[in-house]
Amino acid sequence: MERIRIDFCYDRCVTEWSQWSSCSAECGGGTRTRSRRIDEEDYCKGLPNTKRNELLQSAPCNPVCEHGATRLEQGGCLCPPGRTGTCCHTEITCNYPGRPMNGDLEMMQPLVYGRIISFSCDEGYVMTDGDIDIVCNGQGKWNGTKPTCTAKMVGQAIAMGMKSCTHVILATNLLVLQIIHYSCSEGYRLRGSSQSTCLSNGKWSGNTRECDPIWCEPPIEPVNGKLLPPKSKYYYGQAVGFSCEPGFIMEGVQKLRCRERGPDSPVVIGSGGGEWNGEAPTCTAVSCGDPGPPQNGAKDGSIFYFPHSVVFSCYAGYILQGASEVQCTEGGTWSAPPPACIPCPKNTYKNNGRLDTECLACPPNSHTVTAASTSQAQCLCDQGYRSDENGVCREVRCPILSAVEHGNLASCDNVMGSVCEMTCEDGYILSSGSGKRQCLGDGSWSGSQPRCQPCGMNTYKEEGGNVCLPCPLHSHTNAVAQQKGDAGGPCEDVDECAANSGRGDCEDTCKNLDGGYECSCTTVPVDKTCTNLTTDDAPENGGLVCHWYREQNSQYCSLRCNDGYEFFSGINKYETCGATTGYEWSFEVRNETIPDCYEEYFPGFRLEADAFYFVRKCKDLTPSEQDDVKKTFAAVLDDNQVCKLRGTKLCNLDNFGIICGNETLRRRKRSTDGQEYDEEVSEVKIQLEVRGNKVLDSSTEANRICALLRIPRSRCTVRIATEAYKRYLKAAVMFSGNQLKSLFRRPER
């Protein structure tokens, strides 16, 4: 029950959560927070610091790295080549280098990372320095320099193709079989034999020889990409670049260069004698990164590349806020931010995860304890209502009460929280049950059915009181159920002095008074008296507050419980003993005992007024607190006309006392399997009463004591016997106490 109380107050003693804050990071994983504050109400004060400390919550946000970036473990994004910025939104570009004088270039806009520019010279010009092609790198710079086109020399055209011929000068003494060798300039290949032999007929062997330019077939164009620039053939030294379509990124080299086929390369018939210096790259779809499921929701889709989509949904009790479907765009970003799953507010519910279902309101007269409820079954009836067999919350009504015999019932309702009060007719008092009963949430009345009991002979009931008061000494009534009216009565005075020749019970002079008599030399003998209550009679974990009403030879004791303890059942306002009870205590007349106090079921909630509880343990009350308890009890007696006799207030604080009961002890123990548990141990108090005869001033008494204590008779005197007997009694008490302690000593752990 305490757990339920804490949860109840937890839901009501804090404000609603604030809106989520902005994310601490734009991408790569950040944190957002929300908060609430304590809005404490009186009945929730003093709760243990449990859930109410949860005033700040945090949640991850923006986990995705876009544009093909990689998420780092410590947070943030590692940009791929060609991208820069905190979240890689900026694409790296290179400046336009311009055309070479007397030349041209081939390129594709924009000049982003990996783009290639190929240069060429006009006819009649050759490149003398610089590079045939340049590439835009990751720093926004060109790898290579723009070339220079220089006019050809006249002799170059004649010598073109003959790089290192062996010139043979014909002479008359030229030998037969002498050989000359042919080779071509770089970028050309020899067509025909590479050597010629001087034959016996004086002619050179072989046919005409030519130096043909080396060229390469276009490489295979990558899927979702293209060649830059596209050509039917690429000559020796020329480069081809690659680019990918939007939504795809390149994996592999960004350009290839045509070179002469090596001696170990396979011969391809019809080719230009060239080969590429590597493998062509591939174009891979851009990744937008895993958007992750929304908190309290799920995602459908595991491919996060362009142009695939992901669908989101929320769990039961939550509604989707944002796009239910997002698509990975060509820029490596999702078409919309990830959505959020918002809990259905209190007093509503949603029993499925469908997007077209809204939060439904609870039926009339019902509510939910928390937000995000998942079914109508979590809609609980409001206070004062309970569910019928059809699940409809109906107003709680208790059975209609009726007046008991000799009782009167004040007009009252029977809805939850209504209080009905029962009073007794004149001459009758409530002897059991509850005078006030409240309609509870389960449709039952608190307390029990009261009973009106008539005041006995020689007692009467004061107007507005609920206790039978004894008639004044030496007065009586003629019937039961007597009520004191405005005209006085109902007790009739008796002339106690009529007997014994006008002396009554007096030895000398007797004076008859209203409600008694007065002797001039003695007091009235009392044949019976009430037994004083002790600690053994007082309730455990509580105590008794008693008033000794000596003028009426009666006593009144009220039951009180220590702080944190509760009455096991309803109680009378106090117990009484006097002439009306035959000088027996009222609980003895009922064949009952004074009930003990037990730990409260609902700490801080009491059915009785606070005046029926001690502010702390009975034994720990300060003198000031004891006086407050006595004054409170005196006020109760005064309200019930107990403290008034013929208009004179008789209750005196000097006649009040407090009797404390035993307390329940607890100790922590450990079972054989290692589990700890609490064990209640009732306090045992043992009182030793040692009686000894008083040593009279006689040698006979002294000799008997000396013989008992083995004192030589020659040394036995009355003084020595007296001192020795006192020491003997003291030793007997201490010895008995030690023996009892050994029997009842708490066992060692």
Side-chain angles (χ1 to χ4, degrees), residues 437-545:
R437 304 182 69 184
Q438 186 176 30
C439 182
L440 304 178
D442 60 357
S444 65
W445 291 97
S446 64
S448 58
Q449 183 77 343
R451 177 173 173 266
C452 289
Q453 174 182 320
C455 289
M457 290 293 293
N458 303 326
T459 65
Y460 65 95
K461 176 184 174 183
E462 283 275 13
E463 184 69 28
N466 189 45
V467 63
C468 295
L469 299 176
C471 286
L473 199 61
H474 303 296
S475 65
H476 66 278
T477 61
N478 295 320
V480 298
Q482 296 298 300
Q483 177 79 17
K484 184 174 182 179
D486 295 337
C491 298
E492 298 179 359
D493 189 20
V494 177
D495 186 1
E496 294 85 1
C497 296
N500 194 18
S501 301
R503 294 197 305 270
D505 291 332
C506 297
E507 294 182 1
D508 191 1
T509 303
C510 177
K511 182 180 179 181
N512 188 40
L513 302 175
D514 187 12
Y517 65 97
E518 184 180 82
C519 295
S520 59
C521 60
T522 186
T523 58
V524 180
V526 179
D527 297 332
K528 293 184 179 181
T529 186
C530 293
T531 302
N532 291 333
L533 299 181
T534 66
T535 299
D536 294 334
D537 300 303
E540 186 174 326
N541 300 309
L544 297 172
V545 184

Side-chain angles (χ1 to χ4, degrees), residues 436 559-561 565-567 571 573 600 605-614 632 636:
K436 289 184 178 181
L559 172 61
R560 299 288 189 275
C561 285
Y565 290 83
E566 179 61 270
F567 302 107
I571 63 163
K573 289 186 176 179
E600 293 178 340
F605 176 76
R606 296 170 173 173
L607 290 174
E608 306 293 339
D610 287 342
F612 286 94
Y613 302 86
F614 291 128
T632 301
V636 173

Side-chain angles (χ1 to χ4, degrees), residues 19-25 30-33 59 61-62:
Q19 295 294 324
W20 286 105
S21 67
S22 300
C23 192
S24 61
T31 304
R32 58 178 182 170
T33 60
C61 55
N62 293 345

Side-chain angles (χ1 to χ4, degrees), residues 664-682:
T664 299
L665 303 179
R666 285 182 174 82
R667 62 184 180 189
R668 196 72 173 168
K669 298 195 70 177
R670 188 183 299 274
S671 62
T672 56
D673 58 358
Q675 298 294 323
E676 291 189 351
Y677 64 94
D678 289 330
E679 179 184 62
E680 289 191 357
V681 182
S682 296

Side-chain angles (χ1 to χ4, degrees), residues 132-165:
I132 297 177
D133 43 46
I134 56 177
V135 182
C136 182
N137 62 27
Q139 287 74 44
K141 305 293 183 181
W142 292 104
N143 285 345
T145 58
K146 184 172 66 173
T148 301
C149 292
T150 306
K152 293 180 180 179
M153 301 297 293
V154 176
Q156 285 180 322
I158 300 173
M160 184 175 181
M162 305 301 292
K163 181 179 180 182
S164 59
C165 292

